mmCIF file of all heavy atoms in Angstrom:
data_model
loop_
_atom_site.group_PDB
_atom_site.id
_atom_site.type_symbol
_atom_site.label_atom_id
_atom_site.label_comp_id
_atom_site.label_asym_id
_atom_site.label_seq_id
_atom_site.Cartn_x
_atom_site.Cartn_y
_atom_site.Cartn_z
ATOM 1 N N ASP D 142 0.688 -10.881 -3.542
ATOM 2 C CA ASP D 142 -0.281 -11.920 -3.904
ATOM 3 C C ASP D 142 -0.331 -12.025 -5.428
ATOM 4 O O ASP D 142 -0.849 -11.133 -6.105
ATOM 5 C CB ASP D 142 -1.641 -11.530 -3.333
ATOM 6 C CG ASP D 142 -2.754 -12.507 -3.679
ATOM 7 O OD1 ASP D 142 -2.579 -13.364 -4.574
ATOM 8 O OD2 ASP D 142 -3.823 -12.402 -3.055
ATOM 9 N N LEU D 143 0.222 -13.107 -5.945
ATOM 10 C CA LEU D 143 0.264 -13.299 -7.393
ATOM 11 C C LEU D 143 -1.136 -13.291 -8.000
ATOM 12 O O LEU D 143 -1.365 -12.700 -9.061
ATOM 13 C CB LEU D 143 0.986 -14.608 -7.733
ATOM 14 C CG LEU D 143 1.068 -14.979 -9.214
ATOM 15 C CD1 LEU D 143 1.803 -13.895 -9.996
ATOM 16 C CD2 LEU D 143 1.736 -16.328 -9.378
ATOM 17 N N GLY D 144 -2.088 -13.914 -7.327
ATOM 18 C CA GLY D 144 -3.460 -13.963 -7.838
ATOM 19 C C GLY D 144 -4.049 -12.568 -7.998
ATOM 20 O O GLY D 144 -4.690 -12.270 -9.016
ATOM 21 N N LEU D 145 -3.839 -11.705 -7.012
ATOM 22 C CA LEU D 145 -4.352 -10.336 -7.116
ATOM 23 C C LEU D 145 -3.647 -9.574 -8.229
ATOM 24 O O LEU D 145 -4.286 -8.820 -8.962
ATOM 25 C CB LEU D 145 -4.213 -9.601 -5.772
ATOM 26 C CG LEU D 145 -4.706 -8.149 -5.739
ATOM 27 C CD1 LEU D 145 -6.143 -8.007 -6.236
ATOM 28 C CD2 LEU D 145 -4.556 -7.577 -4.336
ATOM 29 N N ARG D 146 -2.342 -9.788 -8.386
ATOM 30 C CA ARG D 146 -1.628 -9.106 -9.476
ATOM 31 C C ARG D 146 -2.168 -9.556 -10.829
ATOM 32 O O ARG D 146 -2.339 -8.738 -11.737
ATOM 33 C CB ARG D 146 -0.123 -9.342 -9.372
ATOM 34 C CG ARG D 146 0.522 -8.622 -8.206
ATOM 35 C CD ARG D 146 2.040 -8.543 -8.305
ATOM 36 N NE ARG D 146 2.705 -9.792 -8.614
ATOM 37 C CZ ARG D 146 3.097 -10.692 -7.726
ATOM 38 N NH1 ARG D 146 2.862 -10.486 -6.434
ATOM 39 N NH2 ARG D 146 3.725 -11.789 -8.114
ATOM 40 N N VAL D 147 -2.470 -10.836 -10.966
ATOM 41 C CA VAL D 147 -3.016 -11.347 -12.234
ATOM 42 C C VAL D 147 -4.409 -10.775 -12.475
ATOM 43 O O VAL D 147 -4.723 -10.329 -13.585
ATOM 44 C CB VAL D 147 -3.026 -12.893 -12.234
ATOM 45 C CG1 VAL D 147 -3.826 -13.437 -13.406
ATOM 46 C CG2 VAL D 147 -1.595 -13.429 -12.260
ATOM 47 N N ARG D 148 -5.257 -10.757 -11.436
ATOM 48 C CA ARG D 148 -6.601 -10.182 -11.583
ATOM 49 C C ARG D 148 -6.527 -8.694 -11.920
ATOM 50 O O ARG D 148 -7.279 -8.196 -12.760
ATOM 51 C CB ARG D 148 -7.436 -10.399 -10.312
ATOM 52 C CG ARG D 148 -7.985 -11.813 -10.194
ATOM 53 C CD ARG D 148 -9.013 -11.949 -9.088
ATOM 54 N NE ARG D 148 -8.486 -11.695 -7.757
ATOM 55 C CZ ARG D 148 -7.828 -12.581 -7.013
ATOM 56 N NH1 ARG D 148 -7.614 -13.791 -7.487
ATOM 57 N NH2 ARG D 148 -7.399 -12.277 -5.812
ATOM 58 N N ALA D 149 -5.620 -7.968 -11.273
ATOM 59 C CA ALA D 149 -5.458 -6.535 -11.562
ATOM 60 C C ALA D 149 -5.031 -6.338 -13.011
ATOM 61 O O ALA D 149 -5.586 -5.490 -13.720
ATOM 62 C CB ALA D 149 -4.435 -5.920 -10.609
ATOM 63 N N SER D 150 -4.087 -7.124 -13.453
ATOM 64 C CA SER D 150 -3.619 -7.032 -14.840
ATOM 65 C C SER D 150 -4.756 -7.289 -15.818
ATOM 66 O O SER D 150 -4.893 -6.585 -16.825
ATOM 67 C CB SER D 150 -2.485 -8.039 -15.072
ATOM 68 O OG SER D 150 -2.026 -7.976 -16.393
ATOM 69 N N GLY D 151 -5.606 -8.275 -15.494
ATOM 70 C CA GLY D 151 -6.751 -8.584 -16.343
ATOM 71 C C GLY D 151 -7.750 -7.439 -16.438
ATOM 72 O O GLY D 151 -8.489 -7.325 -17.410
ATOM 73 N N LYS D 152 -7.766 -6.589 -15.420
ATOM 74 C CA LYS D 152 -8.678 -5.428 -15.418
ATOM 75 C C LYS D 152 -7.980 -4.160 -15.899
ATOM 76 O O LYS D 152 -8.566 -3.086 -15.886
ATOM 77 C CB LYS D 152 -9.215 -5.181 -13.996
ATOM 78 C CG LYS D 152 -10.006 -6.321 -13.423
ATOM 79 C CD LYS D 152 -11.401 -6.305 -13.943
ATOM 80 C CE LYS D 152 -12.240 -7.351 -13.211
ATOM 81 N NZ LYS D 152 -13.620 -7.315 -13.619
ATOM 82 N N GLY D 153 -6.699 -4.289 -16.285
ATOM 83 C CA GLY D 153 -5.970 -3.120 -16.772
ATOM 84 C C GLY D 153 -5.421 -2.225 -15.676
ATOM 85 O O GLY D 153 -5.079 -1.069 -15.926
ATOM 86 N N VAL D 154 -5.322 -2.759 -14.458
ATOM 87 C CA VAL D 154 -4.796 -1.988 -13.332
ATOM 88 C C VAL D 154 -3.347 -2.417 -13.100
ATOM 89 O O VAL D 154 -3.076 -3.594 -12.870
ATOM 90 C CB VAL D 154 -5.623 -2.230 -12.050
ATOM 91 C CG1 VAL D 154 -5.005 -1.526 -10.855
ATOM 92 C CG2 VAL D 154 -7.068 -1.793 -12.250
ATOM 93 N N PRO D 155 -2.406 -1.475 -13.126
ATOM 94 C CA PRO D 155 -1.008 -1.832 -12.862
ATOM 95 C C PRO D 155 -0.840 -2.361 -11.444
ATOM 96 O O PRO D 155 -1.542 -1.932 -10.523
ATOM 97 C CB PRO D 155 -0.256 -0.507 -13.022
ATOM 98 C CG PRO D 155 -1.169 0.395 -13.770
ATOM 99 C CD PRO D 155 -2.564 -0.059 -13.447
ATOM 100 N N SER D 156 0.095 -3.289 -11.268
ATOM 101 C CA SER D 156 0.375 -3.841 -9.948
ATOM 102 C C SER D 156 1.852 -4.178 -9.854
ATOM 103 O O SER D 156 2.544 -4.276 -10.862
ATOM 104 C CB SER D 156 -0.484 -5.087 -9.688
ATOM 105 O OG SER D 156 -0.116 -6.115 -10.576
ATOM 106 N N THR D 157 2.312 -4.354 -8.634
ATOM 107 C CA THR D 157 3.708 -4.701 -8.397
ATOM 108 C C THR D 157 3.845 -5.430 -7.076
ATOM 109 O O THR D 157 2.990 -5.316 -6.211
ATOM 110 C CB THR D 157 4.596 -3.431 -8.370
ATOM 111 O OG1 THR D 157 5.958 -3.831 -8.259
ATOM 112 C CG2 THR D 157 4.236 -2.513 -7.236
ATOM 113 N N LYS D 158 4.949 -6.176 -6.950
ATOM 114 C CA LYS D 158 5.327 -6.751 -5.664
ATOM 115 C C LYS D 158 6.122 -5.695 -4.917
ATOM 116 O O LYS D 158 6.713 -4.811 -5.511
ATOM 117 C CB LYS D 158 6.237 -7.971 -5.858
ATOM 118 C CG LYS D 158 5.568 -9.122 -6.512
ATOM 119 C CD LYS D 158 6.367 -10.399 -6.545
ATOM 120 C CE LYS D 158 7.847 -10.320 -6.587
ATOM 121 N NZ LYS D 158 8.508 -11.617 -6.710
ATOM 122 N N PHE D 159 6.146 -5.807 -3.602
ATOM 123 C CA PHE D 159 7.014 -4.930 -2.833
ATOM 124 C C PHE D 159 8.344 -5.638 -2.652
ATOM 125 O O PHE D 159 8.372 -6.775 -2.192
ATOM 126 C CB PHE D 159 6.393 -4.582 -1.481
ATOM 127 C CG PHE D 159 7.199 -3.556 -0.742
ATOM 128 C CD1 PHE D 159 7.237 -2.254 -1.191
ATOM 129 C CD2 PHE D 159 7.936 -3.905 0.361
ATOM 130 C CE1 PHE D 159 7.988 -1.296 -0.537
ATOM 131 C CE2 PHE D 159 8.689 -2.956 1.034
ATOM 132 C CZ PHE D 159 8.717 -1.651 0.575
ATOM 133 N N PRO D 160 9.468 -5.011 -3.003
ATOM 134 C CA PRO D 160 10.773 -5.680 -2.913
ATOM 135 C C PRO D 160 11.245 -5.836 -1.480
ATOM 136 O O PRO D 160 10.802 -5.121 -0.584
ATOM 137 C CB PRO D 160 11.698 -4.728 -3.674
ATOM 138 C CG PRO D 160 11.034 -3.401 -3.587
ATOM 139 C CD PRO D 160 9.551 -3.675 -3.530
ATOM 140 N N MET D 161 12.149 -6.756 -1.262
ATOM 141 C CA MET D 161 12.752 -6.974 0.043
ATOM 142 C C MET D 161 13.603 -5.775 0.428
ATOM 143 O O MET D 161 14.233 -5.165 -0.430
ATOM 144 C CB MET D 161 13.643 -8.221 0.009
ATOM 145 C CG MET D 161 12.884 -9.515 -0.238
ATOM 146 S SD MET D 161 11.781 -9.951 1.109
ATOM 147 C CE MET D 161 12.968 -10.329 2.379
ATOM 148 N N PRO D 162 13.646 -5.426 1.720
ATOM 149 C CA PRO D 162 14.548 -4.350 2.148
ATOM 150 C C PRO D 162 15.987 -4.705 1.768
ATOM 151 O O PRO D 162 16.374 -5.860 1.820
ATOM 152 C CB PRO D 162 14.390 -4.324 3.667
ATOM 153 C CG PRO D 162 13.081 -4.969 3.918
ATOM 154 C CD PRO D 162 12.880 -5.977 2.827
ATOM 155 N N GLY D 163 16.746 -3.711 1.368
ATOM 156 C CA GLY D 163 18.124 -3.935 0.980
ATOM 157 C C GLY D 163 18.295 -4.292 -0.475
ATOM 158 O O GLY D 163 19.418 -4.454 -0.946
ATOM 159 N N THR D 164 17.201 -4.438 -1.211
ATOM 160 C CA THR D 164 17.293 -4.713 -2.637
ATOM 161 C C THR D 164 18.027 -3.561 -3.296
ATOM 162 O O THR D 164 17.791 -2.405 -2.980
ATOM 163 C CB THR D 164 15.883 -4.844 -3.254
ATOM 164 O OG1 THR D 164 15.220 -5.933 -2.620
ATOM 165 C CG2 THR D 164 15.947 -5.083 -4.747
ATOM 166 N N GLN D 165 18.918 -3.876 -4.214
ATOM 167 C CA GLN D 165 19.643 -2.826 -4.913
ATOM 168 C C GLN D 165 18.651 -1.953 -5.663
ATOM 169 O O GLN D 165 17.719 -2.451 -6.288
ATOM 170 C CB GLN D 165 20.637 -3.426 -5.918
ATOM 171 C CG GLN D 165 21.775 -4.152 -5.259
ATOM 172 C CD GLN D 165 22.768 -3.190 -4.637
ATOM 173 O OE1 GLN D 165 22.398 -2.227 -3.971
ATOM 174 N NE2 GLN D 165 24.022 -3.451 -4.844
ATOM 175 N N LEU D 166 18.879 -0.650 -5.601
ATOM 176 C CA LEU D 166 18.020 0.265 -6.334
ATOM 177 C C LEU D 166 18.264 0.085 -7.818
ATOM 178 O O LEU D 166 19.391 -0.063 -8.268
ATOM 179 C CB LEU D 166 18.299 1.713 -5.931
ATOM 180 C CG LEU D 166 17.918 2.066 -4.505
ATOM 181 C CD1 LEU D 166 18.315 3.500 -4.208
ATOM 182 C CD2 LEU D 166 16.440 1.889 -4.290
ATOM 183 N N ALA D 167 17.188 0.089 -8.561
ATOM 184 C CA ALA D 167 17.279 -0.054 -10.008
ATOM 185 C C ALA D 167 16.700 1.186 -10.658
ATOM 186 O O ALA D 167 15.843 1.849 -10.113
ATOM 187 C CB ALA D 167 16.504 -1.292 -10.460
ATOM 188 N N THR D 168 17.196 1.490 -11.827
ATOM 189 C CA THR D 168 16.647 2.594 -12.594
ATOM 190 C C THR D 168 16.013 1.994 -13.835
ATOM 191 O O THR D 168 16.627 1.227 -14.542
ATOM 192 C CB THR D 168 17.748 3.588 -13.008
ATOM 193 O OG1 THR D 168 18.374 4.055 -11.833
ATOM 194 C CG2 THR D 168 17.165 4.753 -13.778
ATOM 195 N N LEU D 169 14.788 2.321 -14.068
ATOM 196 C CA LEU D 169 14.073 1.838 -15.230
ATOM 197 C C LEU D 169 13.422 3.039 -15.870
ATOM 198 O O LEU D 169 12.684 3.770 -15.219
ATOM 199 C CB LEU D 169 13.031 0.804 -14.795
ATOM 200 C CG LEU D 169 12.320 0.015 -15.870
ATOM 201 C CD1 LEU D 169 13.316 -0.827 -16.656
ATOM 202 C CD2 LEU D 169 11.268 -0.870 -15.256
ATOM 203 N N GLU D 170 13.696 3.278 -17.124
ATOM 204 C CA GLU D 170 13.174 4.431 -17.839
ATOM 205 C C GLU D 170 13.468 5.730 -17.092
ATOM 206 O O GLU D 170 12.649 6.628 -17.036
ATOM 207 C CB GLU D 170 11.669 4.284 -18.067
ATOM 208 C CG GLU D 170 11.301 3.067 -18.861
ATOM 209 C CD GLU D 170 9.805 2.888 -18.973
ATOM 210 O OE1 GLU D 170 9.051 3.826 -18.637
ATOM 211 O OE2 GLU D 170 9.391 1.810 -19.408
ATOM 212 N N ALA D 171 14.667 5.809 -16.488
ATOM 213 C CA ALA D 171 15.139 7.006 -15.786
ATOM 214 C C ALA D 171 14.217 7.435 -14.655
ATOM 215 O O ALA D 171 14.166 8.583 -14.283
ATOM 216 C CB ALA D 171 15.345 8.154 -16.762
ATOM 217 N N ARG D 172 13.446 6.513 -14.107
ATOM 218 C CA ARG D 172 12.565 6.830 -12.989
ATOM 219 C C ARG D 172 12.902 5.915 -11.820
ATOM 220 O O ARG D 172 13.026 4.719 -11.996
ATOM 221 C CB ARG D 172 11.104 6.635 -13.380
ATOM 222 C CG ARG D 172 10.660 7.629 -14.435
ATOM 223 C CD ARG D 172 9.213 7.471 -14.671
ATOM 224 N NE ARG D 172 9.087 6.827 -15.976
ATOM 225 C CZ ARG D 172 7.958 6.350 -16.436
ATOM 226 N NH1 ARG D 172 6.868 6.427 -15.736
ATOM 227 N NH2 ARG D 172 7.905 5.797 -17.623
ATOM 228 N N THR D 173 13.020 6.479 -10.618
ATOM 229 C CA THR D 173 13.310 5.658 -9.446
ATOM 230 C C THR D 173 12.534 6.158 -8.242
ATOM 231 O O THR D 173 12.077 7.284 -8.226
ATOM 232 C CB THR D 173 14.820 5.717 -9.073
ATOM 233 O OG1 THR D 173 15.160 7.057 -8.787
ATOM 234 C CG2 THR D 173 15.675 5.161 -10.171
ATOM 235 N N ILE D 174 12.357 5.312 -7.273
ATOM 236 C CA ILE D 174 11.889 5.758 -5.971
ATOM 237 C C ILE D 174 12.858 5.178 -4.973
ATOM 238 O O ILE D 174 13.424 4.120 -5.197
ATOM 239 C CB ILE D 174 10.427 5.388 -5.652
ATOM 240 C CG1 ILE D 174 10.281 4.262 -4.703
ATOM 241 C CG2 ILE D 174 9.632 5.099 -6.805
ATOM 242 C CD1 ILE D 174 8.864 4.155 -4.234
ATOM 243 N N PHE D 175 13.119 5.889 -3.926
ATOM 244 C CA PHE D 175 14.131 5.489 -2.976
ATOM 245 C C PHE D 175 13.513 4.695 -1.841
ATOM 246 O O PHE D 175 12.526 5.083 -1.273
ATOM 247 C CB PHE D 175 14.835 6.739 -2.430
ATOM 248 C CG PHE D 175 15.596 7.466 -3.478
ATOM 249 C CD1 PHE D 175 15.025 8.534 -4.155
ATOM 250 C CD2 PHE D 175 16.868 7.056 -3.817
ATOM 251 C CE1 PHE D 175 15.708 9.188 -5.150
ATOM 252 C CE2 PHE D 175 17.561 7.709 -4.816
ATOM 253 C CZ PHE D 175 16.994 8.782 -5.474
ATOM 254 N N LEU D 176 14.147 3.590 -1.553
ATOM 255 C CA LEU D 176 13.763 2.769 -0.418
ATOM 256 C C LEU D 176 14.842 2.931 0.633
ATOM 257 O O LEU D 176 16.003 2.681 0.373
ATOM 258 C CB LEU D 176 13.650 1.293 -0.817
ATOM 259 C CG LEU D 176 12.666 0.978 -1.936
ATOM 260 C CD1 LEU D 176 12.729 -0.496 -2.276
ATOM 261 C CD2 LEU D 176 11.274 1.378 -1.518
ATOM 262 N N GLU D 177 14.480 3.416 1.809
ATOM 263 C CA GLU D 177 15.451 3.630 2.865
ATOM 264 C C GLU D 177 15.785 2.295 3.501
ATOM 265 O O GLU D 177 14.930 1.446 3.668
ATOM 266 C CB GLU D 177 14.870 4.562 3.918
ATOM 267 C CG GLU D 177 14.503 5.933 3.374
ATOM 268 C CD GLU D 177 13.740 6.756 4.383
ATOM 269 O OE1 GLU D 177 13.660 6.354 5.554
ATOM 270 O OE2 GLU D 177 13.229 7.800 3.984
ATOM 271 N N ALA D 178 17.046 2.121 3.848
ATOM 272 C CA ALA D 178 17.457 0.900 4.533
ATOM 273 C C ALA D 178 16.848 0.881 5.925
ATOM 274 O O ALA D 178 16.781 1.910 6.588
ATOM 275 C CB ALA D 178 18.975 0.844 4.624
ATOM 276 N N SER D 179 16.363 -0.266 6.336
ATOM 277 C CA SER D 179 15.779 -0.345 7.684
ATOM 278 C C SER D 179 16.894 -0.298 8.710
ATOM 279 O O SER D 179 17.997 -0.773 8.467
ATOM 280 C CB SER D 179 14.955 -1.610 7.826
ATOM 281 O OG SER D 179 15.783 -2.734 7.754
#
Side-chain angles (χ1 to χ4, degrees):
D142 178 346
L143 178 60
L145 180 53
R146 289 195 311 272
V147 169
R148 282 191 297 278
S150 180
K152 299 279 188 176
V154 175
S156 66
T157 185
K158 294 188 330 184
F159 187 70
M161 295 293 292
T164 299
Q165 292 286 45
L166 293 177
T168 302
L169 189 63
E170 300 175 12
R172 294 185 253 170
T173 60
I174 104 168
F175 295 95
L176 302 176
E177 299 171 10
S179 66

